[in-house]
């Protein structure tokens, strides 16, 4: 069963860039990382999980440089 879940997660993560904007991919990756943390801390990381962690880091850096939100309103 865990292998099936990992296969589905891998498919979702690899298919999302073709169909979704970056924010949807970010939300999906956050959910995947959270599920992986809850599942078992002893399992080794796979490529999809590492890619999701990198996407989250990239978004964190990008959002820290933004001066407006998605609707164009000032953040500060």
């Amino acid at each position: 069963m865990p292998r099936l879940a990992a296969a589905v997660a891998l498919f979702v993560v690899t298919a999302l860039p073709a169909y979704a904007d970056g924010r949807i991919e970010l939300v999906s990756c956050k959910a995947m990382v959270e599920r992986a943390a809850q599942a078992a801390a002893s399992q080794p990381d796979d490529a999809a999980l590492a890619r999701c962690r990198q996407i989250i880091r990239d978004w964190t850096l990008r959002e820290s440089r933004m001066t407006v939100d998605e609707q164009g309103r000032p953040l500060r």
Side-chain angles (χ1 to χ4, degrees):
M1 190 63 141
R3 287 182 176 227
L4 177 62
V8 169
L10 179 62
F11 173 75
V12 168
V13 169
T14 56
L16 271 177
Y19 298 107
D21 70 338
R23 182 138 333 246
I24 293 172
E25 186 177 21
L26 172 67
V27 171
S28 172
C29 281
K30 282 183 178 181
M32 181 179 177
V33 169
E34 185 177 317
R35 281 191 308 271
Q38 291 174 355
S42 63
Q43 290 182 346
D45 293 341
D46 62 342
L49 193 55
R51 181 176 176 275
C52 275
R53 287 187 174 126
Q54 183 62 45
I55 288 169
I56 293 169
R57 277 191 293 272
D58 291 347
W59 267 91
T60 302
L61 290 171
R62 183 185 312 170
E63 287 181 341
S64 70
R65 293 187 303 254
M66 288 183 165
T67 58
V68 295
D69 65 7
E70 292 175 332
Q71 284 78 37
R73 293 176 289 201
L75 292 174
R76 299 180 183 124

